[in-house]
Amino acid sequence: MTENTTHFGFTKIPYEEKVHRVTQVFDSVATRYDLMNDLMSCGIHRLWKRFTIQLSGVRRGQKVLDLAGGTGDLAAKFARLVGKEGQVVLADINAAMLQVGRDRLLNQGILVNYAQVDAESLPFADNSFDIITMAFGLRNVSDKEAAIRSIRRVLKPGGRALILEFSELKIRPLKPLYDLYSFKVLPLLGQLMLKDAESYRYLAESIRMHPNQDTFLEMMQNAGFERCDYHNLSGGIVAVHRGYKL
């Protein structure tokens, strides 16, 4: 891959095209995003997100940025935990996803701030947030290293970043079944539910192209994060990486 290209799933494309293509994917799935997540994971994605929040150690009064926050499930839980003294910013690059999240939280009476942002160049001041989370969004970013550096920049000293993302399955006997599910069942679900098999084919491919656990850990360390670690969930289907800005 050259300096001016990146991957969209398994396809190599010009760097500047990826944002447009990812936008098309999430414009297509926004209104049924959570329903599809429940179907695809049998609801387990909610447990993965709950573990991420527990791992964050969030406290009352803190300031939290939820990147790629989409429909707002993490932001809603953070808002309850930080209380009125704290602040939560729900951020996403995709306007359709952000609108779904805004409408949902307002219907629940949950007040947070909203921002349409690009994770590669966050429009916040240095040292702004105690906690930054990004759940299932980093693999869609064109320049992951730039995003990680940007996240670290806007963290306060002592703050922590948590990246929840699909990763490398570590239970080898299950890999053929996992591949069958990823490349056959997921596109079929997308076709049946949304008449959109291609978005879920991209999902499966983007997971395979994302760095594995140890590679991503090294990327966080190279970006200046310290005390980095990761936790495999569901046999490594997903992993939560955590790093501190000291």
Side-chain angles (χ1 to χ4, degrees), residues 19-181:
V19 170
H20 175 66
R21 291 207 189 186
V22 170
T23 296
Q24 289 181 315
V25 168
F26 285 95
D27 283 349
S28 173
V29 305
T31 57
R32 291 196 172 185
Y33 182 77
D34 287 328
L35 172 62
M36 288 298 294
N37 281 349
D38 282 332
L39 288 174
M40 290 186 300
S41 72
C42 299
I44 298 174
H45 74 100
R46 298 178 185 276
L47 300 179
W48 297 334
K49 292 171 181 174
R50 184 183 304 170
F51 179 78
T52 302
I53 292 171
Q54 292 172 346
L55 203 63
S56 75
V58 64
R59 299 190 306 274
R60 198 166 189 84
Q62 288 189 316
K63 190 173 180 180
V64 178
L65 172 63
D66 181 27
L67 284 173
T71 55
D73 45 359
L74 278 173
K77 292 180 174 62
F78 275 125
R80 296 185 183 101
L81 292 168
V82 302
K84 293 181 180 180
E85 304 92 335
Q87 182 183 6
V88 175
V89 178
L90 171 58
D92 203 293
I93 195 172
N94 184 270
M97 292 289 289
L98 198 60
Q99 185 64 49
V100 171
R102 181 178 180 276
D103 291 346
R104 171 176 294 178
L105 296 191
L106 286 175
N107 287 340
Q108 296 175 26
I110 298 171
L111 299 179
V112 303
N113 294 318
Y114 302 89
Q116 187 174 357
V117 305
D118 185 341
E120 295 178 28
S121 54
L122 293 171
F124 304 111
D126 295 359
N127 309 318
S128 293
F129 297 95
D130 298 289
I131 294 167
I132 300 177
T133 56
M134 192 173 191
F136 304 116
L138 189 66
R139 72 181 186 284
N140 300 311
V141 173
S142 300
D143 189 339
K144 296 177 179 61
E145 288 87 354
I148 300 166
R149 291 193 299 269
S150 187
I151 288 169
R152 184 183 179 279
R153 179 184 63 78
V154 302
L155 270 177
K156 295 178 182 179
R160 71 207 70 177
L162 296 104
I163 310 296
L164 173 65
E165 189 55 89
F166 290 104
S167 200
E168 183 179 63
L169 178 64
K170 296 301 184 181
I171 306 173
R172 290 190 176 277
L174 293 182
K175 285 192 174 183
L177 183 62
Y178 182 52
D179 286 342
L180 176 66
Y181 179 77

